[in-house]
Amino acid sequence: MSDTASSRLLSGRSLAMAGGLVVVGLLPLAAGASPYMLGLLISSLILAGLGLSWALLGNLGGMVSFGHAAFFGVGSYASALLAAKLGVPVLLAIPLAGGVATLSSLAMLPALRLSGPYFALAILAYAQIFRILATEASWLTGGAAGLQRFPGLPTVFGFNFAERHGSYVLVLGMVVLCALIYVVIRRSYVGIALRAIAESEDATRVVGVNSTLLKTWMLMLSAFIAGMFGALNAHIIGFLEPDYAFSGIWSVMPIIGAVFGGYRSVIGPVFGAVVIYMFDQVIAKSLIPVGHQILLGIVLAGMVLLAPNGLAGLVGRIFSRTGGKHHARA
Amino acid sequence: MTELILQALFSGVLIGSVYALVALGLALAFGAMRIINLAHGELVLLAAYMAYLVESRTGLEPYAAIPLALAVVSAVSIALFMLVNMIRDHRELNSLILTFAIGIILTNAILLAFASDMRTTTSAFLQDAVSFGDVYAMRGEIIAFALSLVLMGLLWWWLKASWYGRAVRAVSSNRGAAMLMGINPTRIETVSFLVAGALASFAGVALYTMSVVQPAVGHALTVKAFIITVLAGVGSIPGVFLGAVLLGVTEALTVTLASSALQELAGMVLFLMVLFLMPNGLFGARARRG
Amino acid sequence: MLALDGVTVRFGGLLALSNITFTVEKGEILGLVGPNGAGKTTLFNCISGLVRARGRIGFEGKDMTRLPLHRRARSGIGRTFQIPQPMHHLTVRENLTVAQVFGAGRKDPARIAEILDVMELSHKADADAASALALQELKRLEIAKALATEPRLLLLDEVLAGLESNAKRSFMLKLRELHALFGLTIVIVEHDIETISNLCTRAVVLNFGQLIADGTPAEVFSNPAVVESYTGTAHA
């Protein structure tokens, strides 16, 4: 790993991982999944992208966020409003919405000086404030009644993104792209320095690392990714209201998914979000119609206690024990 | 208008005293273990539902549920402590996630057992209005306020005078040195969680008699308690009380002067302002920077 | 090269450093001496920027007082910690490379190799820094990491502590070698009078946050105030 950071930011292994993700991701299409199933998978991939953005901040930035719903919600509203009121093409509005979420994250910069629980709860406070602001600013957002008339995903070169298969492919592509960005950053000197900061901030700063600046970048990037997935979700769902766009679900599900899959790896949050969401929607909901999240809570608590590095950590352990013979994919 | 404001101030102080009990439980566990228990509000909620259970099944006054609440909540609090104690790596981060998960479990367990309806006391005695000049309160609010003051006094005395109190303070200021002095930190931490559970029990029952509870309230209470410790620092009981009253009054005034939709916003804005403008809390407590 | 003027630090009610004023000349090896709790590490923290101080800290004619930690590292002040703090999960070479990239703003594998060679860490270059190194190797890594930022002033916090006398002598030779090889100015915190006398051209003594003596080691250690501060707290 000695020259990883310099020459080959994208190694063969990470490209293989991306390829694998695409192949696995396309399996449901090949298998002819029902529109209902595809709809669930799209939602789970939205959460996967959100989980990546949460893990990026948590793993590289060393900051636990209990308020990623803030960025998600800002992204959804920004994209819907840009498309509806200013007529911005939807595929352009989505990255712009990521930019708006990044701008909103700048309001949180003072929180970067806070440690651990204080940062976590400060972000939670921001999410609440944004939700209430979205409700109160009804001249712009339609208030509690919500926003309904905004464009869905377009058709490009005859490829209809608004239709389930098209949406699925688009969201899958975005998840893979974000995973690659994450890999590149993690292997760069910035990523290495960030991990060192998480271990010992002072010792890293005395060799010339501007820890506040690097953390700021991670917060901004995390907000950008979360905002883009919020925007994607808005155009797919076609309806927004503050209690939905800023719902605590968008803060909680990525955490559960990332911890379940292993937030210290890149693949973990993606895999974890998909498994957890499908488990919640398909199994937990049928067992316990109201209060099914109790099962998610049990899974989360169990993972933190028994396998704090998630499934990715477990798989890694099995690999190192059996010398890589095992093809454990959990 | 003046009467309305006076009334808001008065109600804010009354509810603030119960917030103080909730926040003191959180602060006690934090002081001993350096861990924010994100399920603390759910412990309070659990006690409130014990009061509902006793009142609806037996027709007794809600305060008759205190023994049951103490037993159940203390047991859960100790179980929670033992689980947190199992964490080995990245304690700060993992304990946040673990207690958060336990909060989800408790909220949904309560939802399963008691449904999502709002509950409050049906006791005519507690709901009777009492007037103090221009301002009014329910008798339940007055009793809860008095109970909170008594409990805070007891806690203050206990921390100051007892061997445990001194040991708790020793462990929270320097764990290593405390161990050298022959203090077993695990025992102290257990006691801290027990006392936090007891405070949560009283706070929950009191809350049930003066306000409405539903499953989602637990999480909101944790956030409120955290806001109060940010306002006050975790250092002193009078500080926590003042912070709690400030939050209660801010909320009540927002509801009176603006709208009830902004109640939560007021608390959050207060929280962020203090966090950024007065990094040592209103009363100059410990630093919270990394 | 380094000019401290009235540096004062207060922790709550405790006066950790009181009006410290002295200068370090280019090319010196200066010993910073004093009993435990005298304020030596706090002074290092002030110079490197971990602790905000009142007074003025000048380095090569520039005012450093308001500069954040990482900017001081980039302007040529390197330091070690008494307890080595390697960057975990990185190899020894990666530790140095990160320090060089951020501290010196360039990437020069040849220089890293040279530092590894001088600090006798070449054989462990690709070993995991946190888990595969013995304590003495960690201490050498701590110095190597500081060297990788290409400092002109190097602050060494008790790097010789815990060494038996032979090892100490050879480590002193190593420090002289670094001093000459990289054209360094060195400030070293050290308790041992004999070590200071052999290694340093000048010594500054702190006691209870006050500067009580400044001069050649011989002058300083015959100063009655210094002798008094050392008897009772003296430990070899």
Side-chain angles (χ1 to χ4, degrees), chain A residues 115-116 118 128 131 264 290, chain B residues 90 92 112 226 264 276 288:
Chain A
S115 66
Y118 292 97
Q128 306 275 39
R131 177 176 55 79
R264 296 200 176 275
V290 178
Chain B
H90 303 279
E92 184 180 277
L112 285 170
F226 188 80
E264 228 182 335
F276 298 140
R288 54 179 72 92

Side-chain angles (χ1 to χ4, degrees), chain C residues 1-18:
Chain C
M1 176 177 220
L2 178 73
L4 304 180
D5 186 6
V7 171
T8 301
V9 173
R10 203 178 270 284
F11 293 131
L14 180 83
L15 196 59
L17 287 177
S18 166

Side-chain angles (χ1 to χ4, degrees), chain A residues 1-4 6 189-190 192-193 195-196 199-211 214, chain C residues 50 69-70 73-74 77 79 81 85 87-90 93-94 97-99 101-103 107 126 145 149:
Chain A
M1 183 165 143
S2 61
D3 59 353
T4 47
S6 53
Y189 283 119
V190 168
I192 293 173
R195 273 184 291 157
E199 297 285 348
S200 168
E201 182 150 359
D202 285 344
T204 314
R205 290 170 73 203
V206 296
V207 297
V209 174
N210 185 349
S211 60
L214 297 194
Chain C
L50 273 163
L69 195 54
H70 62 275
R74 289 178 197 172
I77 300 177
R79 78 162 283 180
F81 288 94
Q85 304 205 14
M87 296 181 223
H88 294 252
H89 313 305
L90 298 186
R93 193 194 308 276
E94 284 168 340
T97 309
V98 169
V101 166
F102 285 94
K107 196 161 174 291
D126 297 309
K145 208 165 57 148
T149 66

Side-chain angles (χ1 to χ4, degrees), chain A residues 110-171:
Chain A
L112 282 179
R113 294 175 308 173
L114 306 169
S115 66
Y118 292 97
F119 175 83
L121 272 286
I123 296 289
L124 177 72
Y126 276 109
Q128 306 275 39
I129 289 174
F130 285 179
R131 177 176 55 79
I132 296 168
L133 289 181
T135 314
E136 294 298 312
S138 48
W139 54 274
L140 182 67
T141 63
L147 203 61
Q148 289 173 39
R149 300 230 176 109
F150 57 90
L153 293 170
T155 298
V156 180
F157 301 124
F159 197 82
N160 184 358
F161 287 119
E163 180 261 348
R164 285 269 157 89
H165 291 78
S167 306
Y168 180 79
V169 169
L170 180 64
V171 178

Side-chain angles (χ1 to χ4, degrees), chain A residues 10-258:
Chain A
L10 273 179
S11 67
R13 204 168 138 236
S14 43
L15 285 174
M17 177 206 79
L21 258 182
V22 171
V23 170
V24 172
L26 289 178
L27 281 180
L29 292 186
S34 68
Y36 168 72
M37 191 47 91
L38 272 183
L40 287 181
L41 285 170
I42 290 170
S43 298
S44 75
L45 284 178
I46 296 276
L47 287 173
L50 203 50
L52 271 177
S53 121
W54 183 86
L56 182 87
L57 191 66
N59 189 23
L60 292 183
M63 292 170 278
V64 186
S65 156
F66 283 107
H68 255 52
F71 308 129
F72 188 86
V74 168
S76 345
Y77 269 99
S79 192
L81 291 171
L82 282 170
K85 306 227 160 166
L86 300 179
V88 177
V90 169
L91 289 185
L92 178 63
I94 291 172
L96 283 178
V100 176
T102 307
L103 280 180
S104 79
S105 77
L106 294 181
M108 300 181 190
L109 288 186
L112 282 179
R113 294 175 308 173
L114 306 169
S115 66
Y118 292 97
F119 175 83
L121 272 286
I123 296 289
L124 177 72
Y126 276 109
Q128 306 275 39
I129 289 174
F130 285 179
R131 177 176 55 79
I132 296 168
L133 289 181
T135 314
E136 294 298 312
S138 48
W139 54 274
L140 182 67
T141 63
L147 203 61
Q148 289 173 39
R149 300 230 176 109
F150 57 90
L153 293 170
T155 298
V156 180
F157 301 124
F159 197 82
N160 184 358
F161 287 119
E163 180 261 348
R164 285 269 157 89
H165 291 78
S167 306
Y168 180 79
V169 169
L170 180 64
V171 178
L172 177 68
M174 292 279 290
V175 168
V176 173
L177 186 67
C178 290
L180 284 176
I181 292 173
Y182 187 176
V183 170
V184 169
I185 291 174
R186 209 162 81 135
R187 297 166 76 94
S188 72
Y189 283 119
V190 168
I192 293 173
L194 277 164
R195 273 184 291 157
I197 290 168
E199 297 285 348
S200 168
E201 182 150 359
D202 285 344
T204 314
R205 290 170 73 203
V206 296
V207 297
V209 174
N210 185 349
S211 60
T212 312
L213 183 69
L214 297 194
K215 285 179 173 182
T216 303
W217 288 352
M218 286 311 108
L219 180 65
M220 290 169 69
L221 181 64
S222 181
F224 183 81
I225 295 176
M228 282 213 300
F229 279 94
L232 268 174
N233 187 58
H235 291 291
I236 291 169
I237 300 284
F239 169 76
L240 279 181
E241 60 179 19
D243 284 352
Y244 170 76
F246 292 93
S247 161
I249 291 292
W250 308 118
S251 299
V252 175
M253 287 300 278
I255 301 180
I256 301 178

